[in-house]
Amino acid sequence: MADASRFIVSGPPHTSDITAGCASLGSFVRRKLLQNGSDVALIDGVFGTELTYLELLERGAQLAECLRSDAGIRSGDVVGIVSENRLEFPVVLIGSFLLGATVAPINLTYSEREFEHAFGLSKPRIVFTSTFAVDRVVAAASRCQEFVERLVLFGDENPLGPTALGAAVPLMLLGEFLAAVSGSNPVALSIAPTDVHRHVALIMCSSGTTGLPKGVQLTQANVMASVALTEETSAMMDVQEQMVVLCVLPWFHAFGCLSLLNVLCIKERMVSLPKFEDFLYLSCIEQYRCNTLLTVPPIVLFLAKHPLVDSYDLSSVHTIICGAAPLGKETEELVRRRIGVRHVRQGYGMSELTLATLVQNGDDHKPGSVGRVQIGTQVKVIDPESGRVLGPNERGELCFRGTQVMVGYIGDEQATRATIDADGWLHSGDVGFYDTDGEFFVVDRLKELIKYNGYQVPPAEIEAVLLAHPAVQDAAVIGVPNEATGELPVAFVVRQPDTPPVTEQELINFVEQRASPAKRLHGGVRFIDAIPKNLSGKILRRELRDLAHNTRAKL
């Protein structure tokens, strides 16, 4: 073990107590918002509505009082949120934290079946939702009446009508819910201390790209560690102006939710959008002079290739932060040249790791890397077969240990033990390596590697090559079964509009000139209108495999 330990890569320790002397996350958030005061914290990019830090705290305190006095919510109870990005979302987060309640943000695009599964994981006593999902939430809640006691609807109208629910689960508008309490003094609000290292603050649904999601339990200390990390890394950056962050990432996803909390706690400003719409996204950058973009690869690809970008003034943007899925170095270079952005920073994280644990902080990172180990984290790369710890430039499974590692999956001890070993190492399921400079590179998911003639072929590597072609707008690669070779790499490609249409053979040749024999498109190319992805930008390879299977079945 002594020999293996030299291959463990450690980030620096936290420079101060991550709790900032607070005995609970509620006290921590209250202190931060009070310190940040009357400055604007959030701007709704659709309506232009603004909220200051103090207004958020006051509304959160009022909601906390309603949760406690009217709904009977206590510390440890679960509050669900099913909503797009809107200003009520952080109010529910803050109000719940002030009470010591656990928040379960849930994907508003879920089907009734998926909502029922998600409710069954976290067992929320009360669920806040928006009109976008209310019909499906109502249907799922009616089958979860043993724990879902009440639904609260954002907005001014109930599109289902007063009798839509019958007697199943009471539904009321947010305004009606808040009417029980005229106001609340956030300073006087009593906040009980908790064991921040065990008390669960958030239950995030894992992405579910390979099956129904699991409930990731993040503690109050996990959230505080994420804030401390962001605060300490921001202090090291040579940026004098306040960060104005444009966020279209859904707040029900870990990347979006933790980014929102970090912005509120370290006095940045966030312009939020409920979904990506090209004109609105670009006009928000121009109007609010956003200097930092929180993105996923499809948005970076849009900025790099879409002709509409040239019609807007994006000169305020100095940093693009990209996560959730790999971004190829070719796309990174394209966007740098296109809009003149100074920093394109990739990071690596998982819901199970609270937020990013590998990040490009400075300007000296290599193209394609996801950066170095962050504060409070250790990383090792292991051989997935033997468990042997690997050294620099050896590819294996990335494993993490530190202040941002979840406590486990709710109600699933078996999955928790399969993910976090007895020594506290979280096994990510992602394949990567680090070089002699300590920079990390993520190659692919273990389960997504294509097996071609005994070679392990990472789809992301071929996708990055395809995206460098000027006639390719988007691309995804999967393996299709083949009796002789095991699997054949096949590409699904979206053509770039306003360019001469590229052919299948041209793309096969393009990849062949740039990739080793195993990484060539032996299964060919199929042109489609759009690559199926979840809202965090991860390719839904299951759908592509189904499409490939159905296509073969018809032949």
Side-chain angles (χ1 to χ4, degrees):
M1 286 301 296
D3 186 55
S5 66
R6 65 192 174 97
F7 293 137
I8 294 174
V9 185
S10 297
H14 288 285
T15 57
S16 59
D17 175 15
I18 62 170
T19 68
C22 297
S24 71
L25 180 59
S27 299
F28 180 87
V29 169
R30 178 171 64 182
R31 177 185 293 182
K32 294 289 186 182
L33 294 178
L34 282 171
Q35 287 173 347
N36 295 343
S38 57
D39 282 1
V40 173
L42 289 172
I43 301 172
D44 184 313
V46 177
F47 300 105
T49 315
E50 298 180 352
L51 277 180
T52 68
Y53 299 101
L54 278 180
E55 286 172 334
L56 275 170
L57 180 58
E58 288 164 358
R59 294 187 188 190
Q62 182 185 8
L63 185 100
E65 199 56 58
C66 290
L67 286 171
R68 175 159 47 200
S69 61
D70 190 42
I73 301 298
R74 297 292 181 263
S75 178
D77 286 340
V78 178
V79 174
I81 311 179
V82 180
S83 173
E84 69 277 18
N85 295 0
R86 53 189 296 157
L87 297 185
E88 296 93 336
F89 195 116
V91 171
V92 176
L93 272 178
I94 292 162
S96 302
F97 292 159
L98 291 174
L99 275 187
T102 299
V103 180
I106 298 169
N107 187 332
L108 84 161
T109 67
Y110 276 174
S111 64
E112 287 179 25
R113 178 182 70 95
E114 290 168 316
F115 276 131
E116 189 176 355
H117 171 76
F119 293 160
L121 287 175
S122 58
K123 295 182 171 51
R125 289 185 57 195
I126 184 169
V127 177
F128 292 83
T129 187
S130 72
T131 55
F132 184 90
V134 66
D135 54 341
R136 286 165 284 130
V137 168
V138 163
S142 69
R143 295 191 288 274
C144 300
Q145 294 177 62
E146 66 272 24
F147 45 84
V148 178
E149 301 169 3
R150 187 182 304 193
L151 302 175
V152 179
L153 181 62
F154 296 150
D156 301 321
E157 292 184 13
N158 176 8
L160 301 182
T163 59
L165 274 177
V169 181
L171 171 70
M172 64 195 310
L173 294 174
L174 179 62
E176 298 169 342
F177 181 67
L178 293 175
V181 176
S182 58
S184 181
N185 183 346
V187 179
L189 190 70
S190 175
I191 303 175
T194 59
D195 178 356
V196 297
H197 296 283
R198 301 303 303 173
H199 193 106
V200 176
L202 292 167
I203 300 172
M204 308 299 305
C205 287
S206 61
S207 357
T209 53
T210 57
L212 282 170
K214 296 186 282 291
V216 175
Q217 298 178 103
L218 301 178
T219 66
Q220 294 188 355
N222 288 149
V223 176
M224 292 174 179
S226 175
V227 173
L229 166 61
T230 307
E231 204 162 25
E232 291 171 30
T233 52
S234 296
M236 293 187 289
M237 292 169 59
D238 185 27
V239 178
Q240 303 302 317
E241 59 190 319
Q242 183 188 33
M243 286 180 69
V244 182
V245 180
L246 178 58
C247 180
V248 71
L249 306 172
W251 289 339
F252 58 72
H253 183 271
F255 189 3
C257 187
L258 272 300
S259 296
L260 167 65
L261 289 171
N262 285 337
V263 162
L264 295 179
C265 288
I266 68 171
K267 205 176 180 181
E268 295 174 354
R269 181 174 298 168
M270 179 175 281
V271 180
S272 72
L273 290 171
K275 62 179 180 178
F276 179 80
E277 295 178 275
D278 47 17
F279 291 96
L280 187 56
Y281 187 83
L282 295 170
S283 65
C284 276
I285 297 174
E286 185 175 83
Q287 179 179 354
Y288 297 109
R289 305 303 292 162
C290 299
N291 52 36
T292 305
L293 310 181
L294 286 180
T295 66
V296 290
I299 296 177
V300 182
L301 199 59
F302 162 80
L303 292 170
K305 292 200 168 191
H306 201 285
L308 186 63
V309 172
D310 292 329
S311 303
Y312 290 82
D313 177 9
L314 307 187
S315 60
S316 60
V317 179
H318 58 62
T319 301
I320 293 176
I321 299 171
C322 185
L327 177 70
K329 62 181 180 181
E330 293 86 357
T331 305
E332 180 179 331
E333 289 163 1
L334 280 173
V335 80
R336 280 182 185 276
R337 290 199 299 268
R338 177 81 181 281
I339 64 174
V341 62
R342 295 202 299 272
H343 314 296
V344 179
R345 293 196 169 114
Q346 287 201 70
Y348 169 88
M350 306 166 62
S351 301
E352 291 85 343
L353 292 171
T354 310
L355 195 55
T357 49
L358 300 169
V359 176
Q360 298 170 339
N361 287 331
D363 293 322
D364 59 343
H365 56 265
K366 301 177 179 71
S369 92
V370 292
R372 295 182 170 87
V373 187
Q374 291 303 286
I375 295 163
T377 302
Q378 292 180 307
V379 190
K380 65 178 179 179
V381 181
I382 65 167
D383 183 306
E385 302 295 330
S386 67
R388 181 173 63 88
V389 181
L390 304 174
N393 298 310
E394 293 185 287
R395 296 186 178 193
E397 183 182 15
L398 298 171
C399 300
F400 298 85
R401 186 167 64 182
T403 56
Q404 292 188 211
V405 173
M406 69 168 182
V407 288
Y409 298 112
I410 191 166
D412 198 336
E413 286 298 321
Q414 183 179 354
T416 299
R417 287 194 301 270
T419 303
I420 303 175
D421 64 27
D423 294 321
W425 287 100
L426 183 140
H427 294 248
S428 69
D430 284 318
V431 179
F433 65 95
Y434 65 95
D435 64 15
T436 52
D437 295 320
E439 288 200 62
F440 279 79
F441 298 79
V442 177
V443 178
D444 227 313
R445 292 287 294 170
L446 274 174
K447 57 178 68 74
E448 290 174 356
L449 289 173
I450 300 166
K451 301 295 180 64
Y452 174 79
N453 274 343
Y455 290 95
Q456 292 188 330
V457 178
E461 192 172 332
I462 308 176
E463 289 158 5
V465 173
L466 285 165
L467 289 172
H469 195 289
V472 173
Q473 185 183 76
D474 205 355
V477 175
I478 62 166
V480 296
N482 180 267
E483 192 173 350
T485 64
E487 289 181 304
L488 296 174
V490 59
F492 288 83
V493 169
V494 179
R495 289 186 173 102
Q496 174 76 21
D498 304 322
T499 61
V502 67
T503 67
E504 176 182 14
Q505 193 57 52
E506 284 174 336
L507 290 179
I508 290 173
N509 294 343
F510 185 80
V511 173
E512 184 174 342
Q513 293 162 10
R514 292 160 176 81
S516 58
K519 298 173 183 175
R520 295 170 185 168
L521 294 173
H522 302 285
V525 175
R526 302 177 192 189
F527 294 100
I528 57 176
D529 294 332
I531 302 297
K533 296 176 182 177
N534 68 11
L535 289 178
S536 65
K538 291 181 180 176
I539 296 167
L540 296 173
R541 299 184 197 274
R542 282 180 300 160
E543 293 189 16
L544 292 176
R545 290 189 189 98
D546 290 344
L547 180 60
H549 174 76
N550 293 337
T551 305
R552 289 198 308 276
K554 292 175 184 176
L555 296 177

